[in-house]
Amino acid sequence: MNAPKKVIIDCDPGIDDALALMLALSSPELEILGITVVCGNVPAHMGAENALKVLKMMGRMDIPVFIGEQSPLVRTYVDAMDTHGDDGLGESHYPQVTEIRPSEGAVQFLARTLRDAAEAPDEKKISIIALGPMTNIASLIRQYPDSLAGLDELVSMGGSYKSHGNCSPVAEYNYWCDPHAAKEVYEAFSTLTGKQIHMVGLDVTREIVLTPNLLEYMQCLNPERGEFIRRITRFYFDFHWKQEGIIGCVINDPLAVAYFIDRTMCSGFSAHTEVETEGICLGQTVVDDHDFWKREKNSVILTKTDSMRFMKFFFTRVIGACEEQVLEGLMGRVMR
Ligand code: RIB
Ligand code: CA
């Protein structure tokens, strides 16, 4: 196996962020240098507390957590606690972690970590998996533009190409919450030679649905982690039934982690993408899929994925299921 890839996970935990962190922490391909938290699903301080709860549950309180931006660049901050609960983890109300505490200065942590890698060979540079609004990343670029020399890749859960939005007919929450940040990050990548944002948008994440059967199966195979997942997702199940009329919950963020590790998890195409920052389409990702504007292809837009493949990936790593158990369970339970 190649040396683990150095990553920083920027997130807004958040229920699906928590599942994404569990997947990342269960993946030997990653060396997680730190977790930076941004205002999004919940205020940044609460998100940092939730990141610590996941690290404690996973036995990884060696990984530092940093609190980042507490409001979007321009817009008034709008959280998503209606979806993630008043504690941001589905009102599971796990106790606050006291053994370790988060630090301030997420943007400064990002800057110094990337700067230290500026002269490193590509495989030693730092990648960012962004699972929330892009406010921390935009602030990094504004305050420390040279730090991007140490960046290997940026994978962002956000946006939507052809799928409908989840905050408006056209806008996905991460880019709707802070459209100015998303705009600035995509613009910055238009001038970074050879770098693209890998956009894991609603077109692919909507395929990843955690169903009651799968949740029950997780609890059978791994009672401790299954119980944690059950407790943090029950609120999410209720929300999805009311909001989207589905039995289960779309778990967006873990797909971004899975794709970062295994690029065949999703497929798509390169294009120039811009983000709308005003009017009724605020937060929309406008993907120039026919190259009208002849602009740099600053993004890889992912449009296809394989949900069964993802579930196998998640079950074997997070739940510790063997391949046979996964296939039997997925086929058996999904078919039942
Ligand atoms: O639109 C879904 C995204 O917004 C996910 O990352 C979810 O956690 C929220 O941040
Ligand atoms: Ca998120």
Side-chain angles (χ1 to χ4, degrees):
M1 185 176 85
N2 297 333
K5 282 187 155 185
K6 297 177 184 293
V7 296
I8 294 170
I9 299 177
D10 189 74
C11 54
D12 58 336
I15 295 167
D16 56 335
D17 301 73
L19 298 174
L21 290 174
M22 291 175 78
L23 180 58
L25 292 162
S26 307
S27 298
E29 298 88 345
L30 304 182
E31 180 188 348
I32 304 170
L33 302 179
I35 295 169
T36 51
V37 181
V38 66
C39 62
N41 289 322
V42 295
H45 280 274
M46 184 185 288
E49 296 294 346
N50 290 338
L52 294 179
K53 292 174 185 177
V54 177
L55 291 177
K56 180 171 183 176
M57 196 272 299
M58 298 293 286
R60 289 303 308 275
M61 290 194 286
D62 57 298
I63 294 177
V65 175
F66 298 86
I67 300 164
E69 298 297 349
Q70 304 187 34
S71 62
L73 295 186
V74 175
R75 283 196 78 199
T76 303
Y77 170 41
V78 178
D79 66 46
M81 293 167 88
D82 62 333
T83 311
H84 293 262
D86 62 14
D87 67 344
L89 285 182
E91 297 182 2
S92 52
H93 295 305
Y94 280 97
Q96 182 185 51
V97 174
T98 53
E99 297 89 328
I100 54 168
R101 302 299 302 142
S103 307
E104 300 287 341
V107 173
Q108 291 68 28
F109 167 74
L110 284 159
R112 66 174 177 271
T113 308
L114 287 168
R115 275 177 164 164
D116 290 349
E119 305 305 320
D122 273 357
E123 66 275 8
K124 296 284 185 198
K125 287 188 180 346
I126 316 298
S127 291
I128 298 172
I129 304 175
L131 306 175
M134 301 265 250
T135 318
N136 285 345
I137 317 296
S139 296
L140 171 73
I141 294 169
R142 278 185 171 188
Q143 296 168 36
Y144 308 96
D146 61 321
S147 63
L148 290 185
L151 179 73
D152 185 13
E153 294 186 293
L154 172 60
V155 171
S156 165
M157 190 281 133
S160 184
Y161 168 52
K162 296 279 191 193
S163 183
H164 61 280
N166 59 11
C167 281
S168 81
V170 295
E172 174 280 324
Y173 175 77
N174 286 335
Y175 294 3
W176 174 87
C177 178
D178 194 344
H180 299 84
K183 178 184 178 69
E184 290 187 18
V185 176
Y186 276 80
E187 279 176 352
F189 271 71
S190 294
T191 58
L192 282 179
T193 312
K195 298 274 181 201
Q196 295 177 296
I197 299 171
H198 295 252
M199 190 184 98
V200 182
L202 294 176
D203 309 275
V204 286
T205 65
R206 276 205 165 104
E207 299 295 311
I208 311 301
V209 180
L210 177 62
T211 64
N213 285 2
L214 291 172
L215 182 56
E216 178 205 331
Y217 194 45
M218 287 180 184
Q219 294 169 82
C220 294
L221 295 178
N222 188 323
E224 185 202 11
R225 290 186 182 177
E227 173 61 7
F228 181 83
I229 295 171
R230 182 193 68 78
R231 276 184 60 180
I232 71 170
T233 57
R234 62 190 168 192
F235 188 95
Y236 217 27
F237 274 58
D238 296 346
F239 172 83
H240 278 77
W241 172 246
K242 291 181 199 126
Q243 181 83 8
E244 311 232 354
I246 61 173
I247 298 178
C249 58
V250 172
I251 51 172
N252 305 280
D253 293 334
L255 183 62
V257 171
Y259 169 76
F260 179 80
I261 295 166
D262 176 355
R263 294 301 148 95
T264 65
M265 195 66 71
C266 301
S267 62
F269 62 94
S270 289
H272 179 76
T273 297
E274 299 194 14
V275 180
E276 179 56 78
T277 55
E278 53 194 30
I280 61 168
C281 294
L282 176 141
Q284 181 177 16
T285 37
V286 182
V287 178
D288 186 7
D289 54 2
H290 283 74
D291 204 17
F292 287 100
W293 296 326
K294 304 289 182 245
R295 293 286 313 273
E296 309 71 17
K297 291 183 167 48
N298 59 352
S299 56
V300 175
I301 304 300
L302 296 150
T303 57
K304 289 188 176 60
T305 191
D306 176 342
S307 60
M308 291 283 267
R309 178 129 178 260
F310 167 82
M311 284 298 169
K312 201 169 95 179
F313 193 89
F314 189 90
F315 265 77
T316 47
R317 288 160 183 261
V318 176
I319 302 300
C322 65
E323 297 264 336
E324 295 70 28
Q325 283 174 317
V326 176
L327 289 176
E328 184 278 326
L330 287 176
M331 294 312 291
R333 289 176 184 280
V334 168
M335 301 304 282
R336 250 200 289 273

Short mmCIF file of all heavy atoms in Angstrom, two decimals, residues 103-160:
data_model
loop_
_atom_site.label_atom_id
_atom_site.label_comp_id
_atom_site.label_asym_id
_atom_site.label_seq_id
_atom_site.Cartn_x
_atom_site.Cartn_y
_atom_site.Cartn_z
N SER A 103 -9.12 23.76 19.78
CA SER A 103 -8.36 25.03 19.79
C SER A 103 -9.07 26.01 18.86
O SER A 103 -9.82 25.61 17.97
CB SER A 103 -6.93 24.78 19.27
OG SER A 103 -6.32 23.73 20.00
N GLU A 104 -8.78 27.27 19.03
CA GLU A 104 -9.22 28.28 18.06
C GLU A 104 -8.23 28.22 16.88
O GLU A 104 -7.26 27.48 16.90
CB GLU A 104 -9.20 29.67 18.71
CG GLU A 104 -10.11 29.81 19.93
CD GLU A 104 -11.60 29.87 19.57
OE1 GLU A 104 -11.92 30.17 18.40
OE2 GLU A 104 -12.44 29.60 20.46
N GLY A 105 -8.49 29.00 15.86
CA GLY A 105 -7.49 29.19 14.81
C GLY A 105 -7.45 28.14 13.72
O GLY A 105 -6.37 27.72 13.29
N ALA A 106 -8.62 27.71 13.25
CA ALA A 106 -8.64 26.70 12.18
C ALA A 106 -7.94 27.21 10.92
O ALA A 106 -7.14 26.49 10.30
CB ALA A 106 -10.09 26.33 11.85
N VAL A 107 -8.20 28.46 10.55
CA VAL A 107 -7.61 28.99 9.32
C VAL A 107 -6.08 29.07 9.46
O VAL A 107 -5.34 28.70 8.53
CB VAL A 107 -8.22 30.36 8.96
CG1 VAL A 107 -7.51 31.00 7.78
CG2 VAL A 107 -9.71 30.21 8.67
N GLN A 108 -5.62 29.45 10.61
CA GLN A 108 -4.17 29.53 10.86
C GLN A 108 -3.55 28.13 10.84
O GLN A 108 -2.46 27.92 10.31
CB GLN A 108 -3.89 30.23 12.18
CG GLN A 108 -4.22 31.72 12.20
CD GLN A 108 -5.72 32.01 12.11
OE1 GLN A 108 -6.56 31.20 12.52
NE2 GLN A 108 -6.07 33.16 11.53
N PHE A 109 -4.29 27.13 11.36
CA PHE A 109 -3.78 25.75 11.32
C PHE A 109 -3.67 25.28 9.87
O PHE A 109 -2.67 24.70 9.46
CB PHE A 109 -4.71 24.82 12.10
CG PHE A 109 -4.44 23.34 11.86
CD1 PHE A 109 -3.32 22.73 12.40
CD2 PHE A 109 -5.28 22.60 11.04
CE1 PHE A 109 -3.06 21.38 12.16
CE2 PHE A 109 -5.03 21.25 10.79
CZ PHE A 109 -3.92 20.64 11.36
N LEU A 110 -4.71 25.58 9.09
CA LEU A 110 -4.68 25.21 7.67
C LEU A 110 -3.46 25.85 6.99
O LEU A 110 -2.70 25.20 6.27
CB LEU A 110 -5.97 25.66 6.97
CG LEU A 110 -7.23 24.82 7.24
CD1 LEU A 110 -8.50 25.63 6.94
CD2 LEU A 110 -7.21 23.54 6.42
N ALA A 111 -3.26 27.15 7.26
CA ALA A 111 -2.19 27.89 6.59
C ALA A 111 -0.81 27.34 6.93
O ALA A 111 -0.01 27.04 6.05
CB ALA A 111 -2.28 29.37 6.97
N ARG A 112 -0.57 27.11 8.23
CA ARG A 112 0.80 26.66 8.59
C ARG A 112 1.05 25.22 8.13
O ARG A 112 2.14 24.88 7.70
CB ARG A 112 1.07 26.85 10.07
CG ARG A 112 0.29 26.03 11.03
CD ARG A 112 0.80 26.25 12.48
NE ARG A 112 -0.01 25.50 13.44
CZ ARG A 112 -1.11 26.00 14.03
NH1 ARG A 112 -1.50 27.25 13.75
NH2 ARG A 112 -1.83 25.24 14.88
N THR A 113 0.01 24.42 8.15
CA THR A 113 0.19 23.02 7.72
C THR A 113 0.46 22.96 6.22
O THR A 113 1.35 22.25 5.76
CB THR A 113 -1.07 22.20 8.06
OG1 THR A 113 -1.39 22.39 9.44
CG2 THR A 113 -0.85 20.72 7.81
N LEU A 114 -0.28 23.76 5.46
CA LEU A 114 -0.07 23.77 4.01
C LEU A 114 1.28 24.41 3.67
O LEU A 114 2.02 23.92 2.81
CB LEU A 114 -1.20 24.54 3.32
CG LEU A 114 -2.56 23.82 3.28
CD1 LEU A 114 -3.66 24.78 2.84
CD2 LEU A 114 -2.53 22.62 2.36
N ARG A 115 1.63 25.48 4.37
CA ARG A 115 2.91 26.15 4.08
C ARG A 115 4.08 25.21 4.34
O ARG A 115 5.04 25.17 3.59
CB ARG A 115 3.05 27.39 4.95
CG ARG A 115 2.39 28.61 4.37
CD ARG A 115 2.53 29.78 5.32
NE ARG A 115 2.26 31.05 4.71
CZ ARG A 115 2.02 32.15 5.41
NH1 ARG A 115 2.05 32.09 6.74
NH2 ARG A 115 1.79 33.30 4.81
N ASP A 116 3.97 24.43 5.41
CA ASP A 116 5.07 23.50 5.73
C ASP A 116 5.25 22.45 4.63
O ASP A 116 6.30 21.83 4.52
CB ASP A 116 4.80 22.79 7.08
CG ASP A 116 4.92 23.75 8.27
OD1 ASP A 116 5.40 24.88 8.05
OD2 ASP A 116 4.50 23.37 9.38
N ALA A 117 4.19 22.27 3.84
CA ALA A 117 4.25 21.23 2.79
C ALA A 117 4.54 21.84 1.42
O ALA A 117 4.59 21.13 0.41
CB ALA A 117 2.94 20.46 2.74
N ALA A 118 4.74 23.15 1.39
CA ALA A 118 4.84 23.85 0.09
C ALA A 118 5.96 23.29 -0.79
O ALA A 118 5.80 23.15 -2.00
CB ALA A 118 5.06 25.33 0.32
N GLU A 119 7.07 22.92 -0.16
CA GLU A 119 8.21 22.44 -0.96
C GLU A 119 8.20 20.91 -1.10
O GLU A 119 9.07 20.34 -1.74
CB GLU A 119 9.54 22.87 -0.29
CG GLU A 119 9.66 24.37 -0.03
CD GLU A 119 9.45 25.20 -1.28
OE1 GLU A 119 9.94 24.76 -2.36
OE2 GLU A 119 8.72 26.21 -1.24
N ALA A 120 7.20 20.27 -0.48
CA ALA A 120 7.20 18.80 -0.50
C ALA A 120 6.80 18.28 -1.88
O ALA A 120 6.13 18.99 -2.64
CB ALA A 120 6.22 18.29 0.55
N PRO A 121 7.19 17.05 -2.21
CA PRO A 121 6.69 16.45 -3.46
C PRO A 121 5.18 16.28 -3.36
O PRO A 121 4.63 16.18 -2.27
CB PRO A 121 7.41 15.10 -3.53
CG PRO A 121 7.88 14.82 -2.14
CD PRO A 121 8.07 16.15 -1.46
N ASP A 122 4.51 16.22 -4.51
CA ASP A 122 3.04 16.19 -4.52
C ASP A 122 2.45 15.17 -3.54
O ASP A 122 1.51 15.45 -2.82
CB ASP A 122 2.52 15.91 -5.95
CG ASP A 122 2.38 17.21 -6.72
OD1 ASP A 122 2.64 18.28 -6.11
OD2 ASP A 122 2.01 17.16 -7.91
N GLU A 123 3.06 13.97 -3.54
CA GLU A 123 2.44 12.93 -2.71
C GLU A 123 2.56 13.24 -1.21
O GLU A 123 1.92 12.62 -0.38
CB GLU A 123 3.06 11.56 -3.01
CG GLU A 123 4.51 11.39 -2.63
CD GLU A 123 5.45 11.89 -3.72
OE1 GLU A 123 4.94 12.51 -4.69
OE2 GLU A 123 6.66 11.69 -3.59
N LYS A 124 3.40 14.22 -0.86
CA LYS A 124 3.54 14.62 0.55
C LYS A 124 2.77 15.90 0.85
O LYS A 124 2.77 16.38 1.98
CB LYS A 124 5.02 14.83 0.89
CG LYS A 124 5.86 13.58 0.79
CD LYS A 124 5.65 12.67 1.96
CE LYS A 124 6.60 11.47 1.91
NZ LYS A 124 6.10 10.38 2.80
N LYS A 125 2.17 16.50 -0.21
CA LYS A 125 1.39 17.71 0.05
C LYS A 125 0.10 17.33 0.77
O LYS A 125 -0.23 16.15 0.95
CB LYS A 125 1.11 18.43 -1.28
CG LYS A 125 2.36 19.13 -1.87
CD LYS A 125 1.99 19.98 -3.06
CE LYS A 125 3.10 20.74 -3.76
NZ LYS A 125 4.37 20.92 -3.22
N ILE A 126 -0.65 18.35 1.18
CA ILE A 126 -1.82 18.15 2.03
C ILE A 126 -3.10 18.29 1.20
O ILE A 126 -3.21 19.21 0.39
CB ILE A 126 -1.87 19.22 3.15
CG1 ILE A 126 -0.50 19.43 3.80
CG2 ILE A 126 -2.95 18.86 4.18
CD1 ILE A 126 0.08 18.24 4.49
N SER A 127 -4.02 17.37 1.39
CA SER A 127 -5.33 17.51 0.74
C SER A 127 -6.37 17.94 1.77
O SER A 127 -6.19 17.70 2.98
CB SER A 127 -5.75 16.18 0.12
OG SER A 127 -4.90 15.90 -1.00
N ILE A 128 -7.40 18.59 1.28
CA ILE A 128 -8.50 19.01 2.14
C ILE A 128 -9.77 18.32 1.66
O ILE A 128 -10.08 18.34 0.45
CB ILE A 128 -8.70 20.53 2.12
CG1 ILE A 128 -7.45 21.25 2.66
CG2 ILE A 128 -9.94 20.93 2.94
CD1 ILE A 128 -7.48 22.77 2.49
N ILE A 129 -10.45 17.69 2.58
CA ILE A 129 -11.79 17.16 2.29
C ILE A 129 -12.76 18.10 3.00
O ILE A 129 -12.77 18.16 4.23
CB ILE A 129 -11.96 15.72 2.80
CG1 ILE A 129 -10.89 14.79 2.21
CG2 ILE A 129 -13.36 15.19 2.44
CD1 ILE A 129 -10.91 13.36 2.77
N ALA A 130 -13.49 18.88 2.20
CA ALA A 130 -14.38 19.92 2.75
C ALA A 130 -15.82 19.39 2.76
O ALA A 130 -16.35 19.05 1.71
CB ALA A 130 -14.26 21.19 1.93
N LEU A 131 -16.40 19.35 3.93
CA LEU A 131 -17.74 18.75 4.08
C LEU A 131 -18.79 19.77 4.54
O LEU A 131 -19.93 19.40 4.82
CB LEU A 131 -17.68 17.61 5.09
CG LEU A 131 -16.64 16.52 4.81
CD1 LEU A 131 -16.60 15.51 5.94
CD2 LEU A 131 -16.92 15.84 3.47
N GLY A 132 -18.39 21.03 4.62
CA GLY A 132 -19.33 22.07 5.04
C GLY A 132 -19.21 23.28 4.13
O GLY A 132 -18.59 23.22 3.07
N PRO A 133 -19.82 24.39 4.53
CA PRO A 133 -19.64 25.63 3.79
C PRO A 133 -18.14 25.94 3.65
O PRO A 133 -17.33 25.56 4.49
CB PRO A 133 -20.34 26.66 4.67
CG PRO A 133 -21.38 25.86 5.40
CD PRO A 133 -20.74 24.54 5.67
N MET A 134 -17.77 26.65 2.59
CA MET A 134 -16.34 26.82 2.26
C MET A 134 -15.72 28.06 2.93
O MET A 134 -14.69 28.57 2.48
CB MET A 134 -16.19 26.93 0.75
CG MET A 134 -16.72 25.71 0.01
SD MET A 134 -15.40 24.58 -0.32
CE MET A 134 -15.30 24.78 -2.10
N THR A 135 -16.33 28.52 4.01
CA THR A 135 -15.87 29.76 4.64
C THR A 135 -14.42 29.69 5.12
O THR A 135 -13.64 30.63 4.90
CB THR A 135 -16.80 30.11 5.82
OG1 THR A 135 -18.17 29.88 5.44
CG2 THR A 135 -16.63 31.56 6.24
N ASN A 136 -14.05 28.59 5.76
CA ASN A 136 -12.64 28.46 6.22
C ASN A 136 -11.68 28.47 5.03
O ASN A 136 -10.63 29.10 5.08
CB ASN A 136 -12.46 27.16 7.01
CG ASN A 136 -13.05 27.22 8.41
OD1 ASN A 136 -13.36 28.31 8.91
ND2 ASN A 136 -13.21 26.06 9.02
N ILE A 137 -12.07 27.77 3.97
CA ILE A 137 -11.17 27.66 2.81
C ILE A 137 -11.02 29.02 2.12
O ILE A 137 -9.93 29.43 1.74
CB ILE A 137 -11.72 26.63 1.79
CG1 ILE A 137 -12.24 25.35 2.47
CG2 ILE A 137 -10.68 26.30 0.73
CD1 ILE A 137 -11.25 24.52 3.20
N ALA A 138 -12.14 29.74 2.01
CA ALA A 138 -12.09 31.07 1.39
C ALA A 138 -11.25 32.03 2.24
O ALA A 138 -10.44 32.81 1.72
CB ALA A 138 -13.49 31.62 1.19
N SER A 139 -11.40 31.93 3.56
CA SER A 139 -10.61 32.80 4.45
C SER A 139 -9.13 32.45 4.33
O SER A 139 -8.27 33.34 4.32
CB SER A 139 -11.06 32.63 5.89
OG SER A 139 -12.39 33.08 6.03
N LEU A 140 -8.82 31.17 4.21
CA LEU A 140 -7.44 30.74 4.01
C LEU A 140 -6.85 31.38 2.76
O LEU A 140 -5.75 31.95 2.78
CB LEU A 140 -7.39 29.21 3.88
CG LEU A 140 -6.06 28.59 3.46
CD1 LEU A 140 -5.05 28.65 4.60
CD2 LEU A 140 -6.27 27.15 2.99
N ILE A 141 -7.60 31.34 1.66
CA ILE A 141 -7.13 31.89 0.38
C ILE A 141 -6.99 33.41 0.46
O ILE A 141 -6.03 33.99 -0.05
CB ILE A 141 -8.07 31.46 -0.75
CG1 ILE A 141 -8.00 29.93 -0.94
CG2 ILE A 141 -7.75 32.19 -2.05
CD1 ILE A 141 -9.07 29.36 -1.86
N ARG A 142 -7.93 34.05 1.16
CA ARG A 142 -7.88 35.51 1.30
C ARG A 142 -6.65 35.93 2.12
O ARG A 142 -5.91 36.84 1.74
CB ARG A 142 -9.12 36.03 2.02
CG ARG A 142 -10.35 36.20 1.16
CD ARG A 142 -11.47 36.84 1.97
NE ARG A 142 -12.61 37.22 1.13
CZ ARG A 142 -13.66 37.93 1.56
NH1 ARG A 142 -13.68 38.34 2.83
NH2 ARG A 142 -14.67 38.22 0.76
N GLN A 143 -6.46 35.24 3.26
CA GLN A 143 -5.42 35.69 4.21
C GLN A 143 -4.03 35.13 3.89
O GLN A 143 -3.02 35.74 4.18
CB GLN A 143 -5.82 35.27 5.63
CG GLN A 143 -7.11 35.94 6.14
CD GLN A 143 -7.62 35.28 7.42
OE1 GLN A 143 -6.83 34.86 8.26
NE2 GLN A 143 -8.95 35.19 7.56
N TYR A 144 -4.01 33.90 3.30
CA TYR A 144 -2.72 33.23 3.05
C TYR A 144 -2.71 32.63 1.65
O TYR A 144 -2.63 31.41 1.48
CB TYR A 144 -2.50 32.10 4.08
CG TYR A 144 -2.64 32.51 5.53
CD1 TYR A 144 -3.85 32.32 6.21
CD2 TYR A 144 -1.59 33.11 6.22
CE1 TYR A 144 -4.00 32.69 7.54
CE2 TYR A 144 -1.73 33.49 7.56
CZ TYR A 144 -2.93 33.27 8.21
OH TYR A 144 -3.08 33.64 9.53
N PRO A 145 -2.79 33.46 0.62
CA PRO A 145 -2.89 32.92 -0.75
C PRO A 145 -1.74 32.01 -1.13
O PRO A 145 -1.92 31.05 -1.88
CB PRO A 145 -2.92 34.18 -1.63
CG PRO A 145 -2.42 35.29 -0.77
CD PRO A 145 -2.76 34.93 0.64
N ASP A 146 -0.57 32.22 -0.55
CA ASP A 146 0.60 31.39 -0.91
C ASP A 146 0.48 29.98 -0.32
O ASP A 146 1.18 29.06 -0.74
CB ASP A 146 1.89 32.04 -0.43
CG ASP A 146 1.90 32.20 1.09
OD1 ASP A 146 0.83 32.53 1.65
OD2 ASP A 146 2.94 31.94 1.72
N SER A 147 -0.41 29.82 0.63
CA SER A 147 -0.51 28.50 1.30
C SER A 147 -0.96 27.40 0.35
O SER A 147 -0.66 26.22 0.54
CB SER A 147 -1.48 28.58 2.48
OG SER A 147 -2.79 28.88 2.00
N LEU A 148 -1.65 27.81 -0.74
CA LEU A 148 -2.16 26.79 -1.68
C LEU A 148 -1.02 26.04 -2.37
O LEU A 148 -1.23 24.99 -2.96
CB LEU A 148 -3.10 27.43 -2.70
CG LEU A 148 -4.44 27.90 -2.13
CD1 LEU A 148 -5.35 28.40 -3.26
CD2 LEU A 148 -5.15 26.80 -1.35
N ALA A 149 0.19 26.54 -2.26
CA ALA A 149 1.34 25.82 -2.84
C ALA A 149 1.53 24.46 -2.17
O ALA A 149 2.07 23.53 -2.77
CB ALA A 149 2.61 26.64 -2.69
N GLY A 150 1.02 24.37 -0.94
CA GLY A 150 1.15 23.09 -0.23
C GLY A 150 -0.05 22.18 -0.37
O GLY A 150 -0.11 21.10 0.23
N LEU A 151 -1.02 22.62 -1.22
CA LEU A 151 -2.25 21.83 -1.37
C LEU A 151 -2.10 20.78 -2.46
O LEU A 151 -1.64 21.08 -3.57
CB LEU A 151 -3.42 22.76 -1.74
CG LEU A 151 -4.77 22.07 -1.95
CD1 LEU A 151 -5.39 21.63 -0.61
CD2 LEU A 151 -5.74 23.00 -2.70
N ASP A 152 -2.49 19.56 -2.13
CA ASP A 152 -2.52 18.54 -3.18
C ASP A 152 -3.89 18.58 -3.85
O ASP A 152 -4.03 19.07 -4.97
CB ASP A 152 -2.24 17.15 -2.56
CG ASP A 152 -2.15 16.06 -3.62
OD1 ASP A 152 -2.05 16.40 -4.83
OD2 ASP A 152 -2.21 14.87 -3.24
N GLU A 153 -4.94 18.12 -3.13
CA GLU A 153 -6.27 18.12 -3.75
C GLU A 153 -7.32 18.70 -2.80
O GLU A 153 -7.16 18.65 -1.57
CB GLU A 153 -6.68 16.67 -4.07
CG GLU A 153 -5.82 16.02 -5.13
CD GLU A 153 -6.36 14.64 -5.51
OE1 GLU A 153 -6.33 13.74 -4.67
OE2 GLU A 153 -6.83 14.50 -6.66
N LEU A 154 -8.40 19.21 -3.39
CA LEU A 154 -9.56 19.66 -2.62
C LEU A 154 -10.78 18.90 -3.12
O LEU A 154 -11.12 18.98 -4.31
CB LEU A 154 -9.79 21.17 -2.80
CG LEU A 154 -11.08 21.73 -2.20
CD1 LEU A 154 -11.18 21.51 -0.69
CD2 LEU A 154 -11.21 23.23 -2.52
N VAL A 155 -11.37 18.12 -2.23
CA VAL A 155 -12.64 17.45 -2.52
C VAL A 155 -13.70 18.13 -1.67
O VAL A 155 -13.51 18.30 -0.46
CB VAL A 155 -12.58 15.94 -2.17
CG1 VAL A 155 -13.97 15.30 -2.27
CG2 VAL A 155 -11.59 15.21 -3.09
N SER A 156 -14.76 18.58 -2.32
CA SER A 156 -15.80 19.34 -1.62
C SER A 156 -17.15 18.65 -1.78
O SER A 156 -17.61 18.44 -2.92
CB SER A 156 -15.90 20.76 -2.21
OG SER A 156 -17.11 21.40 -1.80
N MET A 157 -17.78 18.33 -0.65
CA MET A 157 -19.18 17.91 -0.71
C MET A 157 -19.96 19.21 -0.79
O MET A 157 -19.93 20.03 0.12
CB MET A 157 -19.62 17.13 0.54
CG MET A 157 -21.01 16.49 0.36
SD MET A 157 -22.36 17.68 0.61
CE MET A 157 -23.42 17.34 -0.83
N GLY A 158 -20.65 19.40 -1.94
CA GLY A 158 -21.42 20.63 -2.07
C GLY A 158 -21.90 20.78 -3.49
O GLY A 158 -21.48 20.04 -4.40
N GLY A 159 -22.80 21.72 -3.68
CA GLY A 159 -23.26 22.02 -5.03
C GLY A 159 -24.20 20.96 -5.61
O GLY A 159 -24.48 19.94 -4.98
N SER A 160 -24.65 21.27 -6.81
CA SER A 160 -25.53 20.35 -7.52
C SER A 160 -25.47 20.70 -9.00
O SER A 160 -25.53 21.89 -9.34
CB SER A 160 -26.98 20.50 -7.00
OG SER A 160 -27.81 19.56 -7.62
#
